Amino acid sequence: YLPYDLILLKLWKKRKLSCFDWTEPWEIVYNMLSPRQREKLKHYESEIMKKSDVVFAASEALYEAAAKLNANSVLLPNAVSGDFLLKIKAPADEPVELKNIPRPILGHIAAISDWIDFELLHMLLNKFPQSSFVSIGAVRSYLDMSQFKKYKNAFFLGPKIYEKMPDYIRHFSAGLVLYKPDIIKISDATKVYDYLGAGLPVISYETKSMFLGRYILFAKTREEYLRNIERALAEPPALRAERAAAAANNTWDNRAATAAASISSHLWEKK
């Protein structure tokens, strides 16, 4: 899973099959490392892909890069939990934290880190004062969040267990992906599948890496992003069913079946 797992290939030489699950551009994830350490990490990443029997890549961009290093690369995007889809349709009490938050809610599911476009966040908080921005996810300790205290429509609720996520998302009017363009261009954000599973309109910076991109309102600029929020808030409810149906065809059970088929095929070839 991690580039540092390269050591496992050296230790387990009698293995039947090795698979590397490439879910993140790790040199970006670990941007706190020194340039030399990040370069070494990137080297490990390349080596583990070359030496693995199969590489599963979580986004189109990662798949294209992996295929150049290993012919046995498989596109295995993120997905939504079947349990999530069941819970999002079932009646449930509204979380206490949401009861006094004005609607509509612009929902955000992700950690607040330096991957976020904070300038865009300031712009949308000013542009939509009658809407509430609700973020669910940890806030990285190195960030100065006092800059958002002046906004009465910003609510940072902290992390929640995944099993409770449907109780919050069902009250969103739109799902936001606030990753900066250089981050989102190589990512297939897991939260998108949860948003779509709830039927929500999703707004993101433009990327070719999202597997269900045809259901997303993409923006090239911050101004276009804000216009897409307006579109999302004004759309007819009928569009929700189409998005939910698309998510239902992209569950983790589907992904497990794809991975199992690939693994079985390679094990058979090794006999």
Side-chain angles (χ1 to χ4, degrees):
Y1 178 73
L2 291 170
Y4 297 117
D5 292 336
L6 177 64
I7 187 66
L8 299 178
L9 297 182
K10 296 179 180 180
L11 294 175
W12 292 343
K13 295 182 179 180
K14 293 184 178 181
R15 60 188 180 273
K16 289 187 176 181
L17 191 79
S18 59
C19 302
F20 178 59
D21 186 20
W22 196 19
T23 61
E24 309 280 0
W26 291 111
E27 75 276 7
I28 296 178
V29 173
Y30 288 107
N31 60 1
M32 73 293 293
L33 298 177
S34 68
R36 182 179 179 184
Q37 289 172 320
R38 289 173 67 186
E39 190 62 34
K40 184 175 290 188
L41 180 65
K42 196 168 185 177
H43 170 72
Y44 290 158
E45 195 172 59
S46 297
E47 287 301 302
I48 198 170
M49 280 189 275
K50 290 176 184 177
K51 295 178 180 179
S52 295
D53 295 298
V54 184
V55 176
F56 295 115
S59 75
E60 294 277 1
L62 294 180
Y63 170 72
E64 289 178 6
K68 294 176 182 178
L69 298 172
N70 190 320
N72 295 324
S73 295
V74 178
L75 176 61
L76 196 71
N78 287 311
V80 64
S81 160
D83 287 341
F84 177 94
L85 295 177
L86 290 175
K87 289 180 179 178
I88 201 69
K89 297 175 182 177
D93 293 334
E94 181 180 9
V96 174
E97 294 162 295
L98 295 182
K99 287 187 181 295
N100 295 318
I101 292 180
R103 270 52 169 183
I105 290 177
L106 302 174
H108 176 258
I109 307 294
I112 300 295
S113 68
D114 53 6
W115 285 19
I116 300 295
D117 184 346
F118 287 108
E119 180 61 30
L120 173 62
L121 181 51
H122 281 290
M123 288 174 68
L124 74 85
L125 288 170
N126 283 306
K127 175 74 173 180
F128 302 99
Q130 303 306 315
S131 298
S132 298
F133 172 76
V134 173
S135 180
I136 296 176
V139 176
R140 299 302 182 223
S141 58
Y142 55 79
L143 294 174
D144 177 15
M145 298 301 288
S146 63
Q147 59 186 305
F148 296 106
K149 288 184 178 180
K150 62 182 179 181
Y151 298 108
K152 295 182 179 180
N153 59 334
F155 303 88
F156 298 91
L157 304 186
K160 309 296 176 189
I161 60 173
Y162 184 74
E163 289 74 16
K164 293 292 185 181
M165 209 62 74
D167 298 340
Y168 291 86
I169 291 181
R170 75 174 77 251
H171 297 284
F172 292 176
S173 294
L176 306 184
V177 180
L178 294 175
Y179 290 153
K180 298 172 184 175
D182 61 328
I183 299 294
I184 199 61
K185 71 180 181 181
I186 47 180
S187 300
D188 183 48
T190 309
K191 67 185 69 62
V192 168
Y193 295 86
D194 293 336
Y195 292 156
L196 294 176
L200 296 178
V202 181
I203 304 96
S204 169
Y205 277 124
E206 191 171 65
T207 174
K208 295 180 180 178
S209 287
M210 287 189 188
F211 189 63
L212 294 180
R214 61 189 178 278
Y215 297 101
I216 298 169
L217 297 172
F218 285 126
K220 293 181 179 179
T221 65
R222 292 177 178 133
E223 290 74 20
E224 186 179 9
Y225 194 109
L226 299 181
R227 290 195 296 271
N228 282 343
I229 292 177
E230 291 177 328
R231 286 177 57 193
L233 294 177
E235 72 165 30
L239 295 177
R240 291 196 167 214
E242 182 181 352
R243 288 190 288 260
N249 291 323
N250 290 271
T251 65
W252 286 115
D253 286 344
N254 298 139
R255 300 293 186 258
T258 299
S262 180
I263 290 171
S264 296
S265 173
H266 284 86
L267 284 173
W268 180 261
E269 290 175 3
K270 283 198 164 193
K271 286 186 177 181

PDB file of all heavy atoms in Angstrom, residues 10 21 50 56 190 201 203 250:
ATOM      1  N   LYS A  10      11.346  -7.668  -0.721  1.00  0.00           N
ATOM      2  CA  LYS A  10      12.697  -8.207  -0.520  1.00  0.00           C
ATOM      3  C   LYS A  10      12.703  -9.313   0.537  1.00  0.00           C
ATOM      4  O   LYS A  10      13.489 -10.252   0.462  1.00  0.00           O
ATOM      5  CB  LYS A  10      13.646  -7.081  -0.111  1.00  0.00           C
ATOM      6  CG  LYS A  10      13.820  -6.013  -1.185  1.00  0.00           C
ATOM      7  CD  LYS A  10      14.749  -4.900  -0.712  1.00  0.00           C
ATOM      8  CE  LYS A  10      14.913  -3.845  -1.801  1.00  0.00           C
ATOM      9  NZ  LYS A  10      15.816  -2.733  -1.366  1.00  0.00           N
ATOM     10  N   ASP A  21      -1.436  -1.486  -4.158  1.00  0.00           N
ATOM     11  CA  ASP A  21      -2.643  -0.687  -4.270  1.00  0.00           C
ATOM     12  C   ASP A  21      -2.247   0.786  -4.212  1.00  0.00           C
ATOM     13  O   ASP A  21      -1.987   1.324  -3.134  1.00  0.00           O
ATOM     14  CB  ASP A  21      -3.598  -1.049  -3.126  1.00  0.00           C
ATOM     15  CG  ASP A  21      -4.948  -0.370  -3.262  1.00  0.00           C
ATOM     16  OD1 ASP A  21      -5.290   0.052  -4.385  1.00  0.00           O
ATOM     17  OD2 ASP A  21      -5.662  -0.266  -2.254  1.00  0.00           O
ATOM     18  N   LYS A  50       7.226  -1.538 -10.301  1.00  0.00           N
ATOM     19  CA  LYS A  50       7.949  -2.365 -11.268  1.00  0.00           C
ATOM     20  C   LYS A  50       8.050  -3.815 -10.803  1.00  0.00           C
ATOM     21  O   LYS A  50       7.974  -4.747 -11.611  1.00  0.00           O
ATOM     22  CB  LYS A  50       9.360  -1.809 -11.483  1.00  0.00           C
ATOM     23  CG  LYS A  50       9.417  -0.485 -12.219  1.00  0.00           C
ATOM     24  CD  LYS A  50      10.859   0.007 -12.282  1.00  0.00           C
ATOM     25  CE  LYS A  50      10.960   1.380 -12.925  1.00  0.00           C
ATOM     26  NZ  LYS A  50      12.365   1.893 -12.914  1.00  0.00           N
ATOM     27  N   PHE A  56      -2.823  -1.965  -8.694  1.00  0.00           N
ATOM     28  CA  PHE A  56      -4.168  -1.397  -8.741  1.00  0.00           C
ATOM     29  C   PHE A  56      -4.037   0.113  -8.551  1.00  0.00           C
ATOM     30  O   PHE A  56      -3.465   0.568  -7.560  1.00  0.00           O
ATOM     31  CB  PHE A  56      -5.062  -1.980  -7.638  1.00  0.00           C
ATOM     32  CG  PHE A  56      -5.315  -3.452  -7.794  1.00  0.00           C
ATOM     33  CD1 PHE A  56      -4.833  -4.357  -6.858  1.00  0.00           C
ATOM     34  CD2 PHE A  56      -6.024  -3.939  -8.877  1.00  0.00           C
ATOM     35  CE1 PHE A  56      -5.068  -5.713  -6.993  1.00  0.00           C
ATOM     36  CE2 PHE A  56      -6.265  -5.295  -9.033  1.00  0.00           C
ATOM     37  CZ  PHE A  56      -5.783  -6.191  -8.089  1.00  0.00           C
ATOM     38  N   THR A 190     -12.692   9.828  -2.686  1.00  0.00           N
ATOM     39  CA  THR A 190     -13.682   8.881  -2.183  1.00  0.00           C
ATOM     40  C   THR A 190     -14.984   9.577  -1.824  1.00  0.00           C
ATOM     41  O   THR A 190     -16.074   9.025  -2.032  1.00  0.00           O
ATOM     42  CB  THR A 190     -13.135   8.160  -0.934  1.00  0.00           C
ATOM     43  OG1 THR A 190     -11.840   7.626  -1.231  1.00  0.00           O
ATOM     44  CG2 THR A 190     -14.053   7.027  -0.521  1.00  0.00           C
ATOM     45  N   PRO A 201     -25.658  17.061  -6.080  1.00  0.00           N
ATOM     46  CA  PRO A 201     -24.796  17.674  -7.095  1.00  0.00           C
ATOM     47  C   PRO A 201     -23.418  17.879  -6.469  1.00  0.00           C
ATOM     48  O   PRO A 201     -23.313  18.231  -5.285  1.00  0.00           O
ATOM     49  CB  PRO A 201     -25.480  19.006  -7.394  1.00  0.00           C
ATOM     50  CG  PRO A 201     -26.301  19.305  -6.182  1.00  0.00           C
ATOM     51  CD  PRO A 201     -26.712  17.980  -5.617  1.00  0.00           C
ATOM     52  N   ILE A 203     -19.500  19.609  -6.831  1.00  0.00           N
ATOM     53  CA  ILE A 203     -18.722  20.652  -7.484  1.00  0.00           C
ATOM     54  C   ILE A 203     -17.244  20.436  -7.171  1.00  0.00           C
ATOM     55  O   ILE A 203     -16.865  20.172  -6.020  1.00  0.00           O
ATOM     56  CB  ILE A 203     -19.142  22.068  -7.027  1.00  0.00           C
ATOM     57  CG1 ILE A 203     -20.644  22.279  -7.275  1.00  0.00           C
ATOM     58  CG2 ILE A 203     -18.363  23.122  -7.785  1.00  0.00           C
ATOM     59  CD1 ILE A 203     -21.519  22.013  -6.093  1.00  0.00           C
ATOM     60  N   ASN A 250     -21.292   1.431  -8.474  1.00  0.00           N
ATOM     61  CA  ASN A 250     -19.864   1.588  -8.155  1.00  0.00           C
ATOM     62  C   ASN A 250     -19.641   1.422  -6.655  1.00  0.00           C
ATOM     63  O   ASN A 250     -19.223   2.345  -5.963  1.00  0.00           O
ATOM     64  CB  ASN A 250     -19.361   2.952  -8.631  1.00  0.00           C
ATOM     65  CG  ASN A 250     -19.277   3.062 -10.134  1.00  0.00           C
ATOM     66  OD1 ASN A 250     -18.248   2.733 -10.728  1.00  0.00           O
ATOM     67  ND2 ASN A 250     -20.356   3.506 -10.769  1.00  0.00           N
TER      68      ASN A 250
END
